[in-house]
Amino acid sequence: AGIAAAAGTLAYIRQAYIFSLSYGLSMLGIGGAVLLASPGPLLLQVHAGLVAAYGGRLFAFLLWRQRFQPGYDGEARLRALDKTPRLKRTPIILSTALFYALMSSPLVYHFQSSPLSGVGAVVSTVGCVVAAVGLIYEAVADQQKSLFKMALRADSKEDAQCTSGVYAQSRHANYFGELVFWSGATLAGVPAVLAASVPLWVRAIRAVCSGLGLAGIYFIMLSATKRLEARQEEKYKSSAGFDDYMKNSNALFPKLW
C-alpha cells in the first residue's frame, strides 16, 4: 500500500493519473519490490516479474498515448477531469493505494509462503501462464486499437469502431485481457493464500484480501464495459456493418463460434 501510495502522488499533478499512470507504476513498483527483496525460487520470480511487466507495460503505453501519440490530445482530456483541489485528492490516493495493495496481495502472500511445492506449485504455474496470456492479449489489443485510431487521424477520416484483429470477436478486448491477467495473477497466489503452514485465521484474512482485490477489478471492468457499450452504440449504431458486428462479437469474452 505504501508503494502504491507513493505512485499515487502523480494524482496531485492530474487527478485522473490515479487510475492510469499511478496504476501501472504501482504494479511495477510492487512486482519490482518482490524481485529485489529476495532472490527467491524461479516460480516466485516469474509471478513477480509478470506483475512488474504488467505495470511497466501499462505505464509506458499510457504515457506514450497521452504524450506522444500523433493526433491524440490526452492532456486536454485529463485536464478536464481535474475537478478536485490538489490537497483534497489525498483520500482517493490513499484509498486507491489500499485497493491496489489488495489486487497484488496474492503475490505478497506467495512471497511470504515461498517456495511452493507439489500441487501448489502446479496451480501457481498455471496461474502464471494464464497471467502471461492476459498480459500479451491486453498489450496487443491496446496497441492494435491505438494504431487503428492513428491511421484514421492520419488519413483525416471520421472516427470509427475498431472491428478487426482481437476486436473482431471481443468489442472490449483490452478489458478482457485485463481480467485474464488478474485472474491468472490471483490464481498464482492461491496456494500461498491457503497454505497449511499458517494459522487458519491468517488464511481467512488472505482469502478475503485476495477476493476483494479480484472482485474489485472485475466490478470496475464490467462497469466500464457497460458504459462503453452504451456510448459506442450511440456513436456507431448508424455505421455500416454495426448490426453484423454486434451479432458476431461479444462485449468481453471473445465469440469464437
Side-chain angles (χ1 to χ4, degrees):
I3 291 172
T9 56
L10 290 177
Y12 289 126
I13 301 173
R14 285 282 175 263
Q15 187 172 345
Y17 282 173
I18 191 64
F19 302 117
S20 56
L21 295 181
S22 292
Y23 176 31
L25 196 59
S26 295
M27 298 309 164
L28 174 61
I30 293 169
V34 173
L35 286 172
L36 293 173
S38 171
L42 178 60
L43 187 55
L44 174 62
Q45 292 182 29
V46 171
H47 191 179
L50 284 168
V51 173
Y54 168 84
R57 198 283 312 176
L58 182 63
F59 178 84
F61 169 75
L62 293 174
L63 185 63
W64 166 75
R65 187 179 67 175
Q66 181 181 309
R67 295 278 188 173
F68 307 108
Q69 188 181 115
Y72 185 86
D73 192 0
E75 276 298 306
R77 297 187 183 194
L78 295 179
R79 195 179 301 115
L81 299 175
D82 284 341
K83 299 179 180 179
T84 306
R86 283 185 169 80
L87 291 181
K88 290 186 178 181
R89 298 172 193 173
T90 301
I92 188 65
I93 291 173
L94 296 178
S95 59
T96 305
L98 177 58
F99 173 57
Y100 293 161
L102 293 173
M103 287 176 61
S104 58
S105 62
L107 170 61
V108 178
Y109 303 144
H110 188 173
F111 170 70
Q112 294 172 343
S113 300
S114 190
L116 301 174
S117 60
V119 176
V122 173
V123 171
S124 187
T125 300
V126 171
C128 287
V129 171
V130 172
V133 171
L135 172 62
I136 295 170
Y137 191 95
E138 184 178 8
V140 170
D142 278 341
Q143 201 63 36
Q144 181 186 331
K145 190 171 185 179
S146 288
L147 292 175
F148 174 79
K149 297 291 186 179
M150 286 170 58
L152 290 178
R153 291 192 291 267
D155 295 336
S156 299
K157 294 181 179 179
E158 292 185 2
D159 188 27
Q161 194 171 16
C162 183
T163 60
S164 59
V166 294
Y167 288 92
Q169 291 82 32
S170 172
R171 296 191 291 276
H172 307 284
N174 52 339
Y175 289 176
F176 175 71
E178 175 102 358
L179 294 179
V180 171
F181 174 80
W182 284 113
S183 296
T186 301
L187 180 61
V190 165
V193 170
L194 305 177
S197 58
V198 297
L200 181 60
W201 65 271
V202 174
R203 279 177 268 171
I205 291 175
R206 288 181 174 185
V208 169
C209 291
S210 300
L212 286 173
L214 186 61
I217 192 62
Y218 263 79
F219 176 79
I220 290 171
M221 290 294 101
L222 293 176
S223 299
T225 298
K226 186 176 180 179
R227 289 195 304 271
L228 282 178
E229 281 285 281
R231 190 183 307 168
Q232 288 185 354
E233 182 174 2
E234 180 181 353
K235 189 174 183 179
Y236 302 120
K237 63 182 178 181
S238 59
S239 303
F242 177 80
D243 291 335
D244 287 338
Y245 178 57
M246 294 295 288
K247 291 178 182 178
N248 295 317
S249 63
N250 287 330
L252 272 177
F253 194 87
K255 192 170 187 177
L256 303 177
W257 54 85

